[in-house]
Amino acid sequence: MNKMFIELAIRNSNPEYNLVSRNRKTITIGDIKTEFVKAQSYNMSRMLIKNDHKYIGIVDFTMKNPLDNTPWIESFVIHKKFQGSNTSKQAYDYFESMLRRQTNTCRLAVYKRNKSAVCFWGEMGYTPYEEEVSEGKVCLLMEKRY
């Protein structure tokens, strides 16, 4: 919680994603606090991603989703100015190397209309296994086995 303003800057650097996920371009400190409480209730871990001593991203994950007992990435957000470079892939590769020590699979959900995210996760080796509608929005459930 002591890095709320860093998280806020990272999330608000992605107004298109905020619009898809929250129906508005910016989020507030209150939204960050709500996410933190939700993450704690689901036993999620939150890590801030650094590059050259600068915070550039956030990853929320759980090693045991209560719905399917499988590791899940709840969110993986990279600051807009670092997207499109190899930085996002490097950040994910590092995160995956930690996951591989404990599991052989991981899942996530992506808004189907977020084409860049669907493409990114496909490039990272995730494949869709199901579609579902959440709050009126179509999500692709994706999985990667190591």
Side-chain angles (χ1 to χ4, degrees):
M1 287 301 292
N2 62 345
K3 294 188 173 50
M4 290 188 290
F5 291 101
I6 294 167
E7 291 187 38
L8 187 66
I10 292 168
R11 293 204 186 263
N12 281 336
S13 77
N14 292 280
E16 299 84 13
Y17 175 75
N18 291 337
L19 193 57
V20 169
S21 65
R22 296 183 183 260
N23 300 316
R24 53 193 161 98
K25 289 187 175 185
T26 60
I27 64 171
T28 66
I29 287 294
D31 295 322
I32 298 290
K33 289 178 182 177
T34 299
E35 285 179 9
F36 185 80
V37 170
K38 178 185 171 190
Q40 285 184 317
S41 71
Y42 285 103
N43 199 27
M44 290 200 177
S45 298
R46 174 171 287 172
M47 295 183 344
L48 292 174
I49 302 165
K50 274 185 165 181
N51 182 23
D52 291 332
H53 308 291
K54 292 181 184 177
Y55 291 105
I56 65 159
I58 305 161
V59 61
D60 290 325
F61 67 98
T62 182
M63 292 306 294
K64 193 172 187 180
N65 184 312
L67 300 175
D68 62 7
N69 294 320
T70 304
W72 272 77
I73 298 172
E74 174 68 20
S75 66
F76 184 87
V77 182
I78 300 295
H79 194 287
K80 185 72 170 177
K81 70 181 178 183
F82 295 97
Q83 294 175 11
S85 68
N86 202 33
T87 306
S88 298
K89 181 184 180 324
Q90 289 174 334
Y92 175 74
D93 286 345
Y94 181 79
F95 174 72
E96 183 180 292
S97 72
M98 293 187 312
L99 279 180
R100 285 178 179 252
R101 293 181 204 144
Q102 300 177 53
T103 186
N104 62 0
T105 190
C106 188
R107 292 181 173 173
L108 53 87
V110 179
Y111 293 107
K112 188 174 182 178
R113 69 181 258 206
N114 187 350
K115 301 295 184 196
S116 62
V118 172
C119 182
F120 174 78
W121 290 114
E123 289 173 4
M124 296 302 104
Y126 284 78
T127 56
Y129 66 89
E130 188 177 325
E131 278 189 22
E132 75 174 28
V133 177
S134 175
E135 298 177 8
K137 299 171 188 169
V138 179
C139 294
L140 290 177
L141 305 184
M142 301 178 81
E143 178 179 68
K144 181 174 183 178
R145 294 185 183 272
Y146 312 123

